[in-house]
Amino acid sequence: MNSQYHHKPVLIKESIENLITDQNGIYVDATFGGGGHSYSILKKLGKKAILIALDQDKESIKNNLIKDKRFHLFHNNFIHIRDILNQNRIDKISGILADLGISSLQMDNPTRGFSNQSNGILDMRMNQESFYSAKNVLNECSKQELFHIFYEYGEFKNARRIAEKILKKRFKKNITTTLDLVHIFFIKGSFKKRKRFFARLFQSIRIEVNNEINVLKNFLLESAKILLPGGRIAIISYHSIEDRIIKCFFKKGIIINKINFKTIPFKMIHKKVIKPSFQEIINNPRSRSAKLRIAEKT
């Protein structure tokens, strides 16, 4: 098994130590990315264990360096986790790990359009076989649809104003690159304030392009059905929208103010959310907004 992987996995020690309860069990890395979490899980597992990994990004699949008989990697979105397990004649599993962030492979490639730090085509598709990109969002969505995206997914109080600026710009010329989008807005104030604005702006568009909130909700519902009693789920999220959904489901078994199970399917392993240490943030600044929650199937 090759020890190299393409980015620094976030909260690696905390997530793996809390995830594995059966060294010879079946585990799922729902977001393979650069392979760091999968590699670390395999180091902790016994010879009879199985690790299933999924990623919807073909680049991640292509760049996989892990060679291990216990490891099986599939090109698919984790919303289809049960289908993958069924295809492999697996009914229940011992644990699931999901890191909901963007991998360094995606963020550092300007052609993917995830970052406002370099100029590239507005893409933001995690699955490059999808037909819906950031260009479609910015040039085709109505004013009301844009308002919803920026209000719900970016949590902007001035979401309507942001939508109006985009409509005004695209009336003159299509918005096709990341710099086209950045240059629409003049943000007064500090560098930190501008950075925060564009991070939220790009986040909201990316969430829309990849249907991330609905995918997460469906994934949580599926996880409760495929985990063995005593099995654990560990999820690393990077913004408050995701974290609220995860916390509410783990504590109450509820998604969208609706009781989804007769009894609450999980118990929280830690009452407080786990965050990166100061040292981890120094070593990997992209980890600073990460939040890890772990729950056990009751």
Side-chain angles (χ1 to χ4, degrees), residues 4-174:
Q4 296 180 8
Y5 39 78
H6 299 281
H7 74 135
K8 294 178 181 177
V10 175
L11 290 163
I12 188 77
K13 182 175 181 288
E14 297 87 345
S15 57
I16 306 304
E17 284 183 353
N18 283 282
L19 177 71
I20 297 171
T21 54
D22 177 4
Q23 283 193 313
N24 288 304
I26 301 172
Y27 290 84
V28 171
D29 180 354
T31 50
F32 178 71
H37 284 110
S38 281
Y39 172 72
S40 296
I41 292 170
L42 286 165
K43 286 203 297 183
K44 295 286 187 180
L45 293 179
K47 292 181 180 180
K48 295 180 180 179
I50 294 173
L51 176 60
I52 303 286
L54 293 82
D55 205 292
Q56 61 180 322
D57 191 333
K58 275 192 172 179
E59 286 296 307
S60 290
I61 307 296
K62 186 174 75 175
N63 287 288
N64 168 42
L65 296 173
I66 297 175
K67 308 298 178 186
D68 190 303
K69 290 181 180 179
R70 301 168 298 167
F71 179 70
H72 308 276
L73 178 59
F74 297 91
H75 176 232
N76 219 323
N77 187 308
F78 60 65
I79 196 173
H80 302 297
I81 184 170
R82 186 139 50 153
D83 293 337
I84 295 295
L85 295 178
N86 288 342
Q87 289 167 22
N88 289 273
R89 298 180 181 180
I90 297 170
D91 183 36
K92 300 287 184 181
I93 61 175
S94 302
I96 312 170
L97 173 69
D99 182 337
L100 304 180
I102 311 169
S103 76
S104 295
L105 277 169
Q106 295 165 330
M107 182 63 79
D108 294 338
N109 184 347
T111 66
R112 301 297 297 271
F114 285 104
S115 173
N116 62 74
Q117 300 299 310
S118 57
N119 195 25
I121 298 298
L122 277 165
D123 191 332
M124 301 194 198
R125 293 172 299 164
M126 291 183 177
N127 179 0
Q128 291 180 292
E129 294 180 354
S130 169
F131 295 105
Y132 190 53
S133 73
K135 282 198 294 183
N136 297 112
V137 172
L138 292 163
N139 294 294
E140 297 170 16
C141 283
S142 67
K143 180 180 175 180
Q144 186 57 35
E145 287 168 335
L146 289 172
F147 166 76
H148 170 80
I149 291 165
F150 299 131
Y151 184 78
E152 294 294 334
Y153 303 150
E155 300 183 296
F156 284 107
K157 292 179 180 179
N158 61 336
R160 199 170 301 280
R161 180 66 179 144
I162 294 170
E164 288 169 352
K165 281 180 173 287
I166 286 169
L167 261 67
K168 185 178 179 181
K169 175 68 175 180
R170 81 185 195 196
F171 179 76
K172 298 176 182 177
K173 181 186 174 184
N174 273 2

Side-chain angles (χ1 to χ4, degrees), residues 248-287:
C248 184
F249 188 69
F250 283 175
K251 289 183 74 174
K252 302 176 183 178
I254 294 173
I255 289 179
I256 325 176
N257 300 320
K258 176 175 152 184
I259 303 296
N260 299 102
F261 297 91
K262 291 181 180 177
T263 57
I264 298 171
F266 293 108
K267 66 176 181 180
M268 301 280 280
I269 298 301
H270 300 276
K271 289 184 179 180
K272 291 186 177 180
V273 68
I274 300 171
K275 297 180 180 180
S277 66
F278 175 75
Q279 190 59 50
E280 179 169 6
I281 294 170
I282 293 296
N283 294 336
N284 181 14
R286 287 179 179 172
S287 71

Side-chain angles (χ1 to χ4, degrees), residues 176-195:
T176 59
T177 70
T178 52
L179 282 187
D180 284 346
L181 178 58
V182 169
H183 287 162
I184 293 171
F185 303 96
F186 175 74
I187 309 301
K188 295 179 181 179
S190 65
F191 170 78
K192 187 176 180 181
K193 183 179 178 182
R194 291 194 296 273
K195 188 177 179 181

Side-chain angles (χ1 to χ4, degrees), residues 10-12 15 37 97-101 234-238 242 246 290-293:
V10 175
L11 290 163
I12 188 77
S15 57
H37 284 110
L97 173 69
D99 182 337
L100 304 180
I235 304 184
I236 303 167
S237 62
Y238 293 83
E242 290 172 337
I246 296 161
K291 294 179 180 179
L292 169 64
R293 293 192 186 273

